[in-house]
Amino acid sequence: MKVYDTVKKVELEVDGTRGLIQLMRDGRQVDLYLKEKKSDEDGYMSWDVEHWSSIDVKRFIRCYSLEGRVLGESTGHNIYDLENEFKPDEAAKVELS
């Protein structure tokens, strides 16, 4: 999977989802630019970018942006949640920051 590193200004080849999870564990943030806007099931919040980072080896946090504005909401996830929630293959663009 091709990923653009916004810090080093280079494009990297990453070993799919597993490689991105390892990069988060190593202290990097993974930004998923979605193909279309998403909303939660209650219609409370909408977003078009997900910012994923690691708290520790098994815990992760996802923050959200909409149209270039960072939202105040975040969600916590464990390593097992990532199978259902972390979907870089469905993103229009993936970046490291």
Side-chain angles (χ1 to χ4, degrees), residues 9-97:
K9 309 286 188 224
V10 296
E11 191 168 77
L12 303 172
E13 184 65 37
V14 177
D15 182 23
T17 302
R18 187 177 329 145
L20 291 172
I21 291 170
Q22 186 57 51
L23 286 168
M24 284 190 281
R25 286 176 169 162
D26 293 340
R28 301 300 302 271
Q29 176 176 295
V30 175
D31 301 319
L32 304 180
Y33 292 83
L34 306 177
K35 294 176 184 172
E36 57 188 34
K37 189 179 353 177
K38 283 188 177 181
S39 295
D40 65 351
E41 56 274 353
D42 299 326
Y44 172 74
M45 179 178 72
S46 297
W47 66 94
D48 57 7
V49 181
E50 297 178 355
H51 308 282
W52 288 86
S53 54
S54 176
I55 297 170
D56 61 31
V57 176
K58 293 184 179 181
R59 295 185 305 152
F60 300 83
I61 188 168
R62 173 174 50 177
C63 300
Y64 305 89
S65 292
L66 177 63
E67 298 170 353
R69 186 174 56 93
V70 177
L71 304 176
E73 303 295 324
S74 65
T75 53
H77 303 272
N78 65 42
I79 188 69
Y80 307 106
D81 292 335
L82 294 188
E83 279 186 33
N84 296 322
E85 299 292 329
F86 183 62
K87 301 188 186 268
D89 295 330
E90 295 178 6
K93 178 173 70 169
V94 179
E95 291 183 346
L96 289 180
S97 54

